[in-house]
């Protein structure tokens, strides 16, 4: 049984962790940021401007444990420009200002997300035959958004979730207005535009459904590697792969297979970022302590593999405390059958570290120095 299950405070847990790591007593105040920094890694999370405004204690917890933040929604194209030409940047600017004030790095998420409903409606309705007009709209969006935050974004998710098994193409590519208009070379257009707009940002291809040892995810890994090889061969300026890591308790994880996948990415000369870690616990029984243990165990096994790969530079969770997780939003489809809130994140609703926090800290501590 881990220290947290004994009901110890987070501070004592930290002291215990410091003792385990052979660190001096002052290490009892270590945050995930401190532990990551010592390894040459970065730890961070996704936030929303409303949380910064309405929940000061949470904002302080984010500032304490994190070195990097990303907007959970407010830099997405369909959120920024729901109608053509009217850009709503208040939320994105508030998050960028928080990062600057707190001395945190900033990720950008996401310039192009071809999932239905995640491109602006006016883009989805664009006649694919008018390629020229669509390309101009894409270029203007990227120049504007990546240009606005130029020099302030450590890495941009340039394309998000462009592979979709359910669309049943042999190359795995998601069907969208962009694929219809340009075919795969829409990647070339948008990555080149992002490189021109913010030459200092690391340019990332980000996707989900890669982590578990289940058939559609195994197939998706192969399709992603093939896509990356083609992009590299064409000189497309993709520099990193973002692995979302929306893990599912109960789904198989194979450390060896996943390590081999990460090694293939690294061998292409690409960096790796773990961008949206959380654990869906719908498959687990109600008892919170039992769930927390299973979640921490999965996170530790997963991160041990991710962080052993030296190409992995950054780790972000998709929110820091359970009550702010997307899985616990009213009306969202990821709710548990027993009606209990999910426990997907490192802190509980009292901002106390859970076993998942300890698992992350332990995995970072065990990682080779960068
Ligand atoms: C999610 C947000 O967390 C939700 O609040 C929103 O309603 C939908 O998007 N993959 C991604 C993220 O790349 O942008 C998604 O974020 C979660 C899945």
């Amino acid at each position: 049984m881990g220290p947290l299950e004994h009901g110890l405070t987070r501070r004592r847990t930290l002291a215990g962790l410091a003792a385990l790591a052979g660190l001096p007593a002052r290490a009892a105040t270590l945050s995930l940021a401190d532990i990551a920094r010592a390894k040459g890694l970065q730890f961070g999370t996704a936030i929303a401007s409303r949380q910064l405004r309405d929940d000061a204690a949470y904002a302080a917890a984010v500032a304490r444990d994190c070195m990097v933040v990303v907007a959970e929604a407010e830099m997405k194209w369909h959120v920024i420009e729901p109608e053509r030409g009217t850009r709503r940047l208040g939320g994105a600017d508030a998050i960028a200002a928080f990062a600057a004030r707190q001395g945190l790095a900033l990720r950008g998420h996401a310039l192009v997300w071809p999932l239905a409903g995640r491109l602006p409606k006016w883009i989805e309705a664009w006649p694919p035959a008018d390629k020229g007009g669509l390309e101009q709209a894409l270029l203007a969006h990227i120049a504007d958004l990546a240009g606005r935050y130029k020099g302030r974004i450590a890495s941009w998710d340039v394309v998000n979730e462009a592979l979709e098994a359910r669309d049943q193409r042999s190359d795995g590519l998601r069907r969208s207005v962009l694929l219809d208009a340009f075919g795969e070379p829409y990647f070339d257009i948008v990555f080149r535009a992002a490189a021109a707009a913010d030459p200092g940002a690391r340019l990332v291809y980000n996707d989900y459904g890669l982590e578990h040892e289940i058939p559609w995810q195994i197939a998706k890994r192969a399709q992603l590697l093939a896509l990356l090889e083609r992009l590299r061969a064409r000189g497309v300026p993709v520099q990193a792969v973002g692995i979302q890591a929306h893990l599912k308790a109960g789904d198989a994880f194979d450390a060896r297979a996943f390590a081999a996948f990460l090694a293939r990415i690294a061998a292409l000369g690409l960096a790796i970022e773990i961008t949206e870690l959380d654990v869906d616990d719908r498959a687990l029984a109600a008892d919170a302590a039992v769930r927390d243990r299973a979640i921490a165990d999965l996170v530790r096994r997963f991160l041990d593999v991710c962080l052993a790969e030296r190409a992995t530079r950054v780790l972000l969770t998709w929110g820091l405390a359970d009550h702010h997780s997307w899985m616990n939003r009213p009306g969202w489809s990821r709710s548990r059958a027993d009606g209990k809130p999910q426990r997907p994140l490192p802190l509980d609703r009292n901002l106390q570290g859970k076993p998942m926090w300890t698992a992350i800290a332990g995995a970072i501590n065990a990682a080779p120095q960068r």
Side-chain angles (χ1 to χ4, degrees):
M1 196 179 261
L4 277 158
E5 285 95 305
H6 286 298
L8 299 184
T9 63
R10 176 151 171 227
R11 204 178 166 79
R12 295 214 20 221
T13 304
L14 283 163
L17 186 73
L20 279 177
L23 298 170
R26 65 178 168 74
T29 58
L30 282 181
S31 65
L32 291 178
D34 296 327
I35 298 168
R37 194 175 289 115
K39 286 288 173 175
L41 283 161
Q42 285 191 312
F43 177 80
T45 201
I47 52 169
S49 64
R50 173 202 284 260
Q51 296 160 358
L52 300 176
R53 210 178 48 229
D54 298 348
D55 193 345
Y58 183 67
V62 169
R64 175 182 151 78
D65 260 335
C66 295
M67 303 164 69
V68 51
V69 289
V70 64
E72 186 176 343
E74 289 158 294
M75 283 195 194
K76 291 170 182 171
W77 193 1
H78 69 295
V79 175
I80 286 187
E81 199 179 2
E83 286 101 42
R84 190 174 184 192
T86 54
R87 294 194 169 89
R88 304 176 192 179
L89 290 152
D93 283 351
I95 289 169
F98 170 77
R101 223 165 36 240
Q102 300 291 345
L104 309 175
L106 193 60
R107 295 193 83 251
H109 174 79
L111 290 173
V112 172
W113 188 5
L115 173 66
R118 264 61 174 194
L119 287 168
K121 285 198 175 59
W122 57 273
I123 288 289
E124 287 187 335
W126 208 287
D130 177 21
K131 282 191 203 187
L134 184 54
E135 181 168 354
Q136 285 316 306
L138 267 174
L139 294 176
H141 160 64
I142 293 169
D144 189 82
L145 189 58
R148 182 182 188 88
Y149 298 107
K150 177 181 176 175
R152 290 190 276 165
I153 302 272
S155 51
W156 258 114
D157 291 333
V158 178
V159 179
N160 190 37
E161 302 187 350
L163 293 166
E164 180 49 67
R166 278 174 286 211
D167 285 356
Q168 303 205 327
R169 289 170 51 105
S170 58
D171 58 9
L173 289 176
R174 181 189 297 283
R175 298 180 196 275
S176 70
V177 65
L178 302 180
L179 193 67
D180 287 346
F182 308 109
E184 183 180 302
Y186 81 81
F187 283 82
D188 309 35
I189 296 170
V190 301
F191 272 96
R192 291 201 171 109
D198 189 354
R202 182 189 286 151
L203 305 184
V204 181
Y205 174 74
N206 193 53
D207 213 334
Y208 79 103
L210 299 163
E211 303 81 4
H212 288 291
E213 206 62 13
I214 52 182
W216 71 269
Q217 299 201 12
I218 295 168
K220 187 167 179 171
R221 277 181 232 151
Q223 286 163 333
L224 171 58
L225 290 168
L227 170 66
L228 294 169
E229 274 163 17
R230 296 193 300 274
L231 296 179
R232 296 296 268 174
R234 295 204 297 275
V236 176
V238 55
Q239 292 158 339
V241 174
I243 294 175
Q244 290 186 7
H246 293 293
L247 304 182
K248 255 184 148 168
D251 282 359
F253 175 69
D254 182 324
R256 242 196 230 177
F258 199 67
F261 168 63
L262 297 183
R264 296 267 316 265
I265 296 174
L268 288 169
L270 298 166
I272 296 166
E273 304 193 1
I274 308 300
T275 52
E276 309 184 10
L277 176 66
D278 58 14
V279 182
D280 183 332
D281 69 20
R282 275 177 294 177
L284 301 177
D287 185 86
V290 174
R291 267 196 276 161
D292 283 355
R293 253 191 324 270
I295 290 164
D297 173 66
L298 174 59
V299 164
R300 181 67 199 255
R301 285 187 291 130
F302 176 72
L303 288 183
D304 277 348
V305 177
C306 293
L307 300 180
E309 172 52 68
R310 284 168 193 274
T312 305
R313 312 286 170 77
V314 189
L315 159 62
L316 290 93
T317 53
W318 205 237
L320 200 60
D322 291 339
H323 58 302
H324 284 312
S325 169
W326 63 318
M327 291 183 200
N328 287 325
R329 300 244 161 90
W332 188 248
S333 59
R334 282 161 175 77
S335 43
R336 289 175 56 89
D338 60 15
K340 296 203 186 300
Q342 292 226 36
R343 302 179 63 80
L345 293 173
L347 305 185
D348 66 17
R349 56 182 53 245
N350 300 315
L351 304 177
Q352 298 302 303
K354 296 159 51 201
M356 179 173 171
W357 190 100
T358 311
I360 295 171
I364 297 173
N365 253 325
Q369 188 73 38
R370 297 308 195 262

